[in-house]
Amino acid sequence: MCSSLEQRVALVTGANKGIGREIARKLGAEPNLRTVLACRSERLGTAAAEELRACGCDVSLQRLILTDTESIAGAARHLRDEYGKLDILVNNAAICFNDPTLYGKVAHTPFEQQAGISVRTNFFGTLEVTRAMLPLLRASSSPRVVNVASAAGRLSILRSQDLVDAFTAPALSVPQLEQLMREFVEDVEAGVHAEKGAPLHPGMLPRPARLHHTPAWPRCCRLGQHMLRHEQAGTHRADQGEAFGA
């Protein structure tokens, strides 16, 4: 348990708008809690930080891009040097192609071109951020990881029982999940994903990996909690494919 007087630190990805900004607003209003807005756009991030500060929120800004390894490492270094720990990680940032609200405002992206960037950003980017922040989370007396997704990530989007079984296997490891995501991208790009029972929209499959409410994903959705529990208990098993820090 952390003391009510202890200075805490939260990092919220994609915090310059929408749900991310509102999460940052709520956290930033908490006493003794500095909320770091992790944003791709410095311009939008600065505007959000100024708005939240005007509301009395304790926030700061850090540039972070889910597809940029150096920006992720830089954010981790900044938190380490500035605070020495991280108490709360909120994985909120993601991309969505061809959103109905954007029709006519942005160029349409063909279906087969969406899978790679969607999975690379929403799944692998989130995974990389979580891994980078683990040393800082371990330094907290009460670490928390929150993964934000949507109901579009429910298991019913999988039209193959083999895929359902693979994603809900009790022994599913993170490396195995990574391979499933790579195979999905390959199948979409090859035009064979439909016959294999994969989702018909390439942006959907990364969502179950972040949907922490789904009981079928206890080892993969609750990635940070799973890693922290094993690290703290000293039961991390690299020989079981759980090389989280790799």
Side-chain angles (χ1 to χ4, degrees):
M1 292 287 287
C2 61
S3 166
S4 59
L5 299 178
E6 178 184 351
Q7 176 66 45
R8 295 174 296 160
V9 183
L11 179 75
V12 182
T13 67
N16 59 276
K17 62 182 179 180
I19 293 174
R21 183 170 58 188
E22 292 311 304
I23 292 173
R25 187 190 305 277
K26 292 292 186 180
L27 291 174
E30 291 290 316
N32 303 313
L33 178 57
R34 164 63 60 88
T35 300
V36 180
L37 313 183
C39 305
R40 178 185 181 91
S41 168
E42 292 187 35
R43 178 180 62 83
L44 295 177
T46 297
E50 290 176 351
E51 175 196 333
L52 294 177
R53 290 190 190 108
C55 297
C57 295
D58 182 3
V59 300
S60 64
L61 177 64
Q62 175 64 42
R63 189 164 187 258
L64 187 150
I65 303 173
L66 291 184
T67 54
D68 183 345
T69 293
E70 181 50 43
S71 82
I72 294 172
R77 285 194 300 270
H78 169 73
L79 291 171
R80 180 198 64 199
D81 295 343
E82 187 72 18
Y83 308 106
K85 65 168 183 173
L86 179 63
D87 299 286
I88 303 168
L89 170 61
V90 181
N91 286 316
N92 167 75
I95 61 170
C96 178
F97 281 99
N98 306 327
D99 187 307
T101 63
L102 299 177
Y103 287 168
K105 299 179 183 179
V106 298
H108 178 82
T109 303
F111 183 86
E112 66 275 6
Q113 295 179 16
Q114 298 177 33
I117 184 62
S118 294
V119 171
R120 186 163 65 251
T121 304
N122 298 353
F123 175 73
F124 285 103
T126 299
L127 176 60
E128 185 172 358
V129 169
T130 304
R131 283 172 167 157
M133 300 303 163
L134 279 176
L136 296 165
L137 288 161
R138 285 197 293 267
S140 169
S141 61
S142 182
R144 295 288 184 272
V145 178
V146 178
N147 296 315
V148 179
S150 75
R154 59 193 179 277
L155 289 171
S156 60
I157 65 172
L158 300 176
R159 297 171 300 108
S160 160
Q161 188 58 48
D162 288 342
L163 282 177
V164 172
D165 292 343
F167 280 111
T168 58
L172 179 66
S173 69
V174 174
Q176 289 172 331
L177 177 58
E178 291 180 86
Q179 183 58 31
L180 286 169
M181 302 304 286
R182 293 189 188 97
E183 290 173 358
F184 169 67
V185 173
E186 293 170 359
D187 289 343
V188 170
E189 293 177 346
V192 298
H193 62 288
E195 62 191 68
K196 290 189 176 183
L200 297 178
H201 189 291
M204 287 185 174
L205 196 57
R207 294 175 183 175
R210 296 167 55 129
L211 196 57
H212 68 282
H213 296 297
T214 307
W217 294 75
R219 300 188 65 196
C220 305
C221 307
R222 299 188 177 182
L223 203 34
Q225 294 96 319
H226 177 72
M227 289 185 271
L228 282 166
R229 185 170 63 252
H230 281 274
E231 288 286 345
Q232 292 173 343
T235 57
H236 170 74
R237 291 288 302 282
D239 61 334
Q240 292 182 344
E242 299 176 343
F244 301 116

